[in-house]
Amino acid sequence: MKTKILIITALAGLICVSSCKKALDYTPKGALKSTDLTSPTAVDGLVTAAYAGIGNGDMIGPIYSNWAYGSVRSDDAYKGGGGTGDVGEIDAMEHYNLVNPSLDAFISRTWKNLFKSISRANVALRAVEAISDAQFPNKKIRIAELRFLRAHSYFIMKRLYKQVPIFDETATADQILKTSNTLSDEDAWNKIADDFQFAVDNLPTSQPELARANKYAAEAYLAKVRLYQAYEQDASYHVTNINQTRLQQVVSLTQDVIASGKYSLSADYADNFLPETENGPESVFAIQFTINDGTTDGRLNFEDGLNYPHGAPQYGCCGFHAASQNLVNAFTTDANGLPNFDTFNNSIADLSTQTVDVRIDHTVGIDGHPYKYDPTKPFSNSWVRDPGVYGNFHTMKSQQLATSSSYFKLGPFMGSAKNVDVLRYDDVLLMQAEAYIELNQPAQALPLINQVRIRAAASTGRLKKLDGTFPSNYNVQPYSATNWTQAYARKALQWERRLEFATEGERFFDLVRWGIAESTLNGYINIEKGRRSFLSTAKFTAGRDEYLPIPQSEIQFTNGLYKQNPGY
Amino acid sequence: MRRLLLFCSLLILIISEGRAQSRTIKGVVTDNESKPVPGATVVVVETRKGTTTDINGNFSINAENGQTLRITLVGETPILTQITAATQNLNIQFKGSQSALNEVIVTGYSSERKKDLTGAVAVVDLTAVKNNSSGNTMQALEGRVAGLYIEKDGSVNGATSRILIRGANTLGNNDPLYIIDGIPTTRPEVFQSLSPSNIASIQVLKDASAESIYGARASNGVIIVTTKTGGNTEGKVQFQFNSTTSTESEKSLRYKVLNAVDRGKALWQASVNDGQDPAAGYGDIYTFDWNGNYANPVLNSVTPKPFVGGDPNTPVGDTDWQSVLYKTAIATNNDFTATVGNKNSSFDINFGHITNNGLVKFTRYVRNSGSINAITRAFNGKATLGASIKIANSNETLPTKDLGGATTTALAVNLAPTIPVYQKDGTTYAGELGAGYSDRNNPLHMQDLAKWNNTNRLTTFGNIFLEIQPIKNLYIKSNYGADNANYLAKVISPTFSEGALNRTTNSLFNDQNHYLSTTWSNTIRYDFDLNKNNHFKLLAGTEYIKTFTDYLTTYKENFAIQSEDYFVFDAGTGKTNITGTSLGHTLFSQFGRLDYNYNNKYLLALTLRRDGSSRFGANNQYGIFPAASAGWRIDQEDFMKNQNLFSQLKARLGVGRVGNQEIGDLSRYTLYYARYGFTQNQLTPGFWEQYMNIGTAYSLTGANTGALPSGFVQTQLGNPDLKWETTDEINAGLDFSFLHDKISGSFDYFSRNTTGILITPPVASALGEGQSKTVNGASKSNKGWELVLTYHGQQSGDFNYNVTLNFSHFRDKITKLPEDVRPAYPGNLENTIIGHSQFDIFGYKTAGLFQSQAEVDAAPTQIGAGPGRIRYVDTNHDGKIDANDQTWIGTTLPALEYGARVDLTYKKFDLAIFGSGVAGRRGYDPYTFFNNLMHSREDVGPGVFNGWTPQHTNTNVPALTLKDNNNETTRTSDYFIVNTSYFKVRNIQFGYTIQPRAVFTRLRVFVMGENLFTLKSKQYLGPDPERASLDVVPVPKILSFGVNASF
């Protein structure tokens, strides 16, 4: 008996001691440490992740679709959806009533998402720069691509928020937190331009993987930066000077792109809005989206996911982004096939009798007209969600048919694998035209604008109804050289940009760049509110509403370092 | 077997009156201090008839001369007494000790007599919580234990939303640590799934001196649960059966919302106020007959359009969605225990079965649980071997969300009443269609579609231990335990079409994880007396804990047939997706304790624990947690000998340090992951997050499908200095009992300081992705007190009563928060959270409504202001209302919690009334939001008809608007902050003990009502201040009938 007790005691003592030796370590599973990221494969992975970053936006924090920021805030479109209260943040933008910049949607979330994308570029840049040329023969090219990606995100930020903190991959965390957003416009644009210039200097004219940025994409983007930079603004956002040197840079950069012969306008304008024809000759740089790719739901564009016709049974939600009456009117043409510059908005366009620009049926969902090139399911007023508030027009460029292989429905919303074009050749042509006009060489601009118009006129192949007729009376003609003065050319150019990129989210930024946002938008509201009474309390305040407020949370994160934009 | 049969026939058993020869034997049972012992079992051995002693230790039982009474009490040697002709009133005294003070309390690796306690330890009175309809002891404890704050909702699975011991001491996870039969777990589910009848004791360790023995995991408090092992029944099998059947209803707790016509009137008024044609926004739902004059509007009538969205199959409804979604639920709780034991071994088997068919239609909950506890001693009690296993398996179907992420419980309040439940055919669910509607779904339809969803939780919790006593009073114990949980949530999403909305692809989604935590603790204890006056107890030990969790989600689309049985992964033909990861941590600890008792007057306890955790950074892997506490039993002093006022008086003082390590397992590392195709939803689940790519894969080739090249992304920044949070606490207490124990109680005051609080603050976005890091950044202080008072009512004949009151107060404040961390919490640059709790509410102050344009013009600039609009206060006096005017306007935690319990017995009847409440709480009233303000898409309450107009200015309801340019619905403001204090009569139980007959030793039937009455402030417009959100199920009123039987 005693022996047994002793044995048990000894055993108990043994386990007491043995348990003291256990290790405390738990190593993370399925993760990498920074030291694991020095191989060429891993470094290339970081570059890939940086590309992925420019597509990592959010329905309520968009970074690649400007439907809310650039289209609803302009005269192109209304918010749509279920009444003004549905996604109130956009309603506030539409009414220029952004009194509460602390909401964690849109303004602050977009800021966050853009910096995520910038940090991916910077993380990859540090890794690429740390690896030798011998190990990584593409080093220079990848650095150039990454700087292109970083500049892309900064460009978007600059257009939205005006004052943003700009730093590069060498900045430490402490330095980043001390980087204010008070750079002058000139310095900020130049920093962005530096990245694109590096890309221009170091990228090949052609990349084996076509989604990567190449030299011409960098040139086109640099041209865009220089174009924005050319319009110099004062503190209250008045355009005080149009810098001729910058315009000259726009001309030569775009000339390079055009002369390369690598790009051309697609035969049909529709090719720009269909997944089957994406990455076509007109696409200079695009954000790639994919489906059936092994990811959770596909790497889809969900930023436009609210914008499908609500009442159409094949979609069932949510009816956002409705085309304005003003935009529809703007598509009307006169007997010469030219825009009704001064009279277009005098009355409601009668689409059964008036002639229109072909692009209306690529842009606007109209009762009885084929929607998204499907004559079997024409758009119907019954598809509209809230006609009493937002009228009967819808938009369609970013949407895809429910039968498309690129279409995916998740919950109530829709995603699409159609790429988002960041730079198209039509933009390159019109940027050059704009530069020539402001350089007072309007004659040089005429063929460029006409090239765009002629393609538009020819883009009717997908527009026929089931009965073989066209839904609208099209009449689009090129401008003639007669009376092609600088003033007229400017008007024509501005009109052409509006129609060519209608509802694509460029309009608001164009208006701000040209310095005509206040006059155009208040003029628009004054007439439009008689048609859509929800706009009755909208008012654009110059010197404030050209830019979004800096998110209040970011000002707090940096302990008041960031300067709020005036008026907020 | 025979007893089993008898058990089955329990409810139909008809028993005749007692036999003629028997007579009534009366007696009283006392402990060694001659104090009455309630609850002792008295059984006539020959007939097995039995009874239990009442609150004064009295019993009476029918027996014949020559028969033997066996009086038993847990932890005591049974006493056998033969009835003789001379037997009149029996006076039975247990030689051991069983007064409350001699009760032995498990306090962590060892036990103490209650009278020797020096820390703040609450011993939970289990008799009161034994019968509860939910089967969840945690819920039943709400309001009963001073210093234990519990919030719950009406969820069918009885989950609690918040459990705080002495308030919130940290900014992150405030969940207490549970020690169940010596095995720690942080999962409240383990405790919540224990059958109440299986629990022998619950102690709540509240202060650091008591908790410190649990070191780095104890700062949120420790709940120690010991389960029953069965006692010495002298080889006789004893059975216990408890059964409760309940009905639950939320009917009296519904919100008042507008019917179809009234909603139309409100929409008309709001539109007209906005200068908008009501027909533009809502003309597809209503016909508005009015004069069209915006200056002087007159509404003749509002008529709903006959069809929803013009669809002839969907005639307009006038639906009360709350009555559609909810039903009266039936809940049953059955629990069966068998125990047997002899001098050396005992054995306890328990089965529990709980069902609840759901207040919300198509929801349900079923739980089966079982446990086996066995203990055996050998070598004259020198070795004890024990094992226990507790298994709980539950299945639940809970309230769901609609396609757009709205909860069905919220939709039941605010979905438009013009939507009918069904289309014309009476079977097809109707939904929103056409202009003027939202994109919400029919909540009943959503629940119907979700009826195949099931969450299965299987918890296996067990331990084995061996304790040996090689020499007298030296105990060596090794305890090995495991907490194993399997979680499987199955979500079946069938296709459907309803109104304008549809789901076109069906899918099956499984979310599962496997959690296993093993604990091996080894202790050595030695008790010795130096001499008559100096008593020592020593304890030393080690503990090693290893925990891991494996996560896996699987998803598949396209199932050809939509039946529950067909939704199996093999049957799906569409897209497949799998995600998964693994996490874990280890903890190694050494600890020791010394108890010193001088002459039963002076008590001292010292503890020390050293914890090492894999969660802490390399530079700070080990933490040391000391504590000391002392007690002075004043009543034992000579100068107290001659007084009769106090029968017990003890002063306690404790100081100690405890820690908290509730951060992510991997927080200390800088990590990069290959996130091939992640959405934000996989990291921080949410509605919009489903639509956000955060992956690293990208189609560089431009291809539209197929596998993608992918990369890596940094997800967090490491911190090698990361360490545990430290809480230092001082606690002073007084235990007292006076007037011959008529009044007893205790008072505790505490002050605690937590430093180095672990936080993962969001950082300036410019730092980029994956730059957040966990730091020891903040400090909090927390002060409070607890008071418990019990009045033992004097016996007057057959009538007895006891009253127990408890009060507790705490106020926690953040005392330090680094500047870069502050944006993570409410507050702004001028008005930080320092000096406030994270449960305080930050927002705008309001000052009534603007009455005229002149007032607006004279007031500080407020965008959106106008007559009839809420006037916000310019708290910083800068002449404009903006984000910097926000300030602290309320808190969600109460200043005082209190509970009151009254127990009465009269002959065989017993009545227990329990109520509890909170006071000094100002929080959010979700109903104000719906009752006072218009919402264009949601239904609202009748309060909107009291809206401001130039003619009706004496109101606090703003002028109705659908535009909300004043941001009244989106600003947090004190307009919604009201007094949310309340008192609830939580439980009334009325029982009748049937005189034991035939096989039963005890048979009691009872009726019980829960949540019967609520007292609340008039300011609070909603029905129940405990329901802080529309997204949860209301806490229902419950009526139960039950039986407690022993045989």
Side-chain angles (χ1 to χ4, degrees), chain A residues 277-424:
Chain A
T277 42
E278 67 184 17
N279 293 324
E282 195 166 346
S283 177
V284 178
F285 185 73
I287 301 173
Q288 306 289 322
F289 291 98
T290 44
I291 193 166
N292 297 325
D293 52 10
T295 69
T296 309
D297 300 304
R299 280 193 58 84
L300 300 167
N301 166 6
F302 275 119
E303 291 186 359
D304 292 295
L306 296 171
N307 301 349
Y308 285 75
H310 186 77
Q314 67 271 32
Y315 300 118
C317 207
C318 302
F320 282 79
H321 200 198
S324 70
Q325 182 65 52
N326 182 297
L327 177 67
V328 170
N329 288 352
F331 278 108
T332 58
T333 54
D334 63 14
N336 298 322
L338 297 178
N340 293 305
F341 289 118
D342 302 316
T343 59
F344 79 103
N345 207 26
N346 290 352
S347 60
I348 305 283
D350 182 350
L351 298 175
S352 60
T353 56
Q354 283 184 269
T355 59
V356 291
D357 190 300
V358 174
R359 287 169 287 193
I360 191 173
D361 284 316
H362 295 268
T363 308
V364 185
I366 300 166
D367 190 44
H369 296 217
Y371 185 74
K372 201 67 193 179
Y373 318 116
D374 180 3
T376 65
K377 289 194 183 66
F379 191 85
S380 153
N381 282 347
S382 71
W383 291 12
V384 172
R385 183 161 184 189
D386 231 341
V389 181
Y390 294 115
N392 275 317
F393 299 118
H394 201 64
T395 55
M396 69 165 89
K397 276 182 176 173
S398 69
Q399 289 87 302
Q400 297 301 330
L401 290 177
T403 50
S404 165
S405 63
S406 70
Y407 171 92
F408 180 72
K409 183 165 184 179
L410 177 65
F413 306 144
M414 296 73 178
S416 152
K418 162 73 175 66
N419 289 349
V420 169
D421 283 317
V422 173
L423 286 165
R424 286 205 311 259

Side-chain angles (χ1 to χ4, degrees), chain A residues 208-285:
Chain A
E209 287 170 310
L210 68 87
R212 294 186 190 270
N214 62 29
K215 181 186 180 70
Y216 300 118
E219 284 182 331
Y221 223 142
L222 181 56
K224 196 155 187 171
V225 170
R226 294 305 187 196
L227 185 62
Y228 273 80
Q229 191 176 12
Y231 293 81
E232 294 169 2
Q233 296 177 354
D234 65 12
S236 48
Y237 313 144
H238 290 298
V239 173
T240 51
N241 176 42
I242 304 176
N243 186 310
Q244 302 291 299
T245 321
R246 298 293 174 216
L247 294 174
Q248 202 56 61
Q249 287 171 325
V250 174
V251 169
S252 62
L253 285 162
T254 49
Q255 197 48 58
D256 233 29
V257 179
I258 294 167
S260 76
K262 198 173 160 67
Y263 304 101
S264 61
L265 294 178
S266 303
D268 191 324
Y269 183 59
D271 291 351
N272 290 319
F273 311 111
L274 290 168
E276 296 77 19
T277 42
E278 67 184 17
N279 293 324
E282 195 166 346
S283 177
V284 178
F285 185 73

Side-chain angles (χ1 to χ4, degrees), chain A residues 1-10, chain B residues 343-344 377-384 468-471:
Chain A
M1 169 104 158
K2 267 243 159 80
T3 340
K4 282 186 184 172
I5 294 172
L6 282 173
I7 291 169
I8 292 169
T9 311
Chain B
K343 171 160 91 56
N344 285 324
R377 295 170 193 84
F379 312 120
N380 286 330
K382 288 200 163 57
T384 307
I468 51 179
Q469 195 187 163
I471 57 171

Side-chain angles (χ1 to χ4, degrees), chain A residues 521-542:
Chain A
L521 293 176
N522 281 333
Y524 151 74
I525 290 163
N526 281 337
I527 294 173
E528 203 78 351
K529 72 184 176 192
R531 301 166 177 158
R532 309 277 184 256
S533 66
F534 82 95
L535 282 172
S536 58
T537 49
K539 183 177 182 297
F540 186 94
T541 304

Side-chain angles (χ1 to χ4, degrees), chain B residues 761-781:
Chain B
V763 291
S765 299
L767 287 173
E769 197 171 9
Q771 293 299 312
S772 64
K773 100 178 156 178
T774 305
V775 295
N776 293 91
S779 301
K780 284 194 81 173
S781 77

Side-chain angles (χ1 to χ4, degrees), chain B residues 163-164 169-179 184-189 214-222 483 515 517 545 547 549 551 583-587 609 611-617 625 658-668 722-727 754-761 773-777 825 838:
Chain B
I163 301 167
L164 300 177
N169 298 299
T170 176
L171 295 167
N173 186 326
N174 273 294
D175 287 342
L177 177 70
Y178 298 85
I179 308 289
T185 177
T186 47
R187 296 195 311 122
E189 299 93 310
Y214 291 108
R217 306 209 292 172
S219 74
N220 293 331
V222 181
D483 176 14
Y515 168 94
S517 176
I545 297 170
T547 300
T549 316
Y551 300 86
L583 287 174
H585 69 269
T586 57
L587 195 69
R609 180 162 176 132
D611 271 333
S613 171
S614 66
R615 286 177 172 176
F616 301 143
F625 304 94
V658 283
N660 180 7
Q661 62 150 15
E662 284 310 310
I663 43 171
D665 286 330
L666 307 178
S667 296
R668 70 180 171 112
L722 203 62
K723 58 183 238 175
W724 58 95
E725 295 173 15
T726 307
T727 299
T754 306
T755 53
I757 290 177
L758 297 162
I759 35 182
T760 311
K773 100 178 156 178
T774 305
V775 295
N776 293 91
Y825 294 93
Q838 74 265 36

